[in-house]
Amino acid sequence: MTRDIQNLSADIKIASSTQFNRYEYGYLGEINAMRGLSNTDFIMFLLPPSSTMADVYKNNEEASCVFHCYTKEEFGSPTNANESLQYIHDVLKERFIQTLANLCKNNEHKYIISSGINFDRTSREFNQDYVGLIATVSISYFSTCMPFSIQTQSL
């Protein structure tokens, strides 16, 4: 039995460990259980990805991964609110990109970032002072394929 998503999530957790204090795989409703976060915590959620196998006889699968990265608004620089928000978004983006770099570096022949990255920036999420970065990226990896067999017809 293959564990493609389980392995991907475990590898992302390792790759994110130097950039994010906490990594979770699941749904955003679970973020409310984290109300005790300090102002310096960085958290990353990976939503369950959708994936595509363009050719079922090749072992290449592409997962569309949506990451939600958050920290508290108080983390930003204290100069003014707009600069603080911009600063936090930049820090989250840098940490996310470093996580992807770690993922690809640590798993050189296992994962390929197969397209660009889409970033959405948020603030005041979940009725709390969370500032967020939502990043969508496609990651290709080798998966299980259907066995190919040639069937002959009798004449």
Side-chain angles (χ1 to χ4, degrees), residues 19-96:
Q19 302 299 317
F20 292 89
N21 304 77
R22 187 161 180 183
Y23 167 82
E24 296 289 334
Y25 175 88
Y27 295 98
L28 292 178
E30 299 166 16
I31 200 167
N32 288 326
M34 298 181 171
R35 292 188 186 270
L37 292 177
S38 75
N39 293 345
T40 59
D41 283 339
F42 288 87
I43 56 177
M44 173 188 273
F45 276 92
L46 170 59
L47 300 183
S50 60
S51 63
T52 303
M53 291 182 78
D55 185 342
V56 296
Y57 298 108
K58 294 182 180 177
N59 63 344
N60 188 23
E61 189 168 350
E62 183 173 288
S64 178
C65 299
V66 179
F67 295 89
H68 289 252
C69 306
Y70 295 103
T71 192
K72 292 277 195 148
E73 190 171 29
E74 291 87 8
F75 172 79
S77 63
T79 55
N80 74 41
N82 285 337
E83 286 182 11
S84 178
L85 186 60
Q86 294 164 3
Y87 173 75
I88 295 170
H89 284 144
D90 287 343
V91 168
L92 286 169
K93 181 180 171 189
E94 287 173 22
R95 286 174 177 259
F96 177 75

Side-chain angles (χ1 to χ4, degrees), residues 67-149:
F67 295 89
H68 289 252
C69 306
Y70 295 103
T71 192
K72 292 277 195 148
E73 190 171 29
E74 291 87 8
F75 172 79
S77 63
T79 55
N80 74 41
N82 285 337
E83 286 182 11
S84 178
L85 186 60
Q86 294 164 3
Y87 173 75
I88 295 170
H89 284 144
D90 287 343
V91 168
L92 286 169
K93 181 180 171 189
E94 287 173 22
R95 286 174 177 259
F96 177 75
I97 289 173
Q98 186 58 52
T99 296
L100 285 184
N102 292 344
L103 177 69
C104 292
K105 179 182 171 191
N106 297 342
N107 302 280
E108 187 175 348
H109 300 290
K110 196 171 180 181
Y111 303 113
I112 299 169
I113 306 302
S114 54
S115 67
I117 305 169
N118 182 51
F119 295 107
D120 292 314
R121 293 158 179 87
T122 64
S123 66
R124 304 273 178 182
E125 291 286 300
F126 307 102
N127 295 325
Q128 299 182 34
D129 293 333
Y130 288 136
V131 174
L133 181 76
I134 302 167
T136 305
V137 62
S138 293
I139 300 175
S140 292
Y141 55 90
F142 294 111
S143 180
T144 303
C145 61
M146 291 180 57
F148 181 76
S149 62

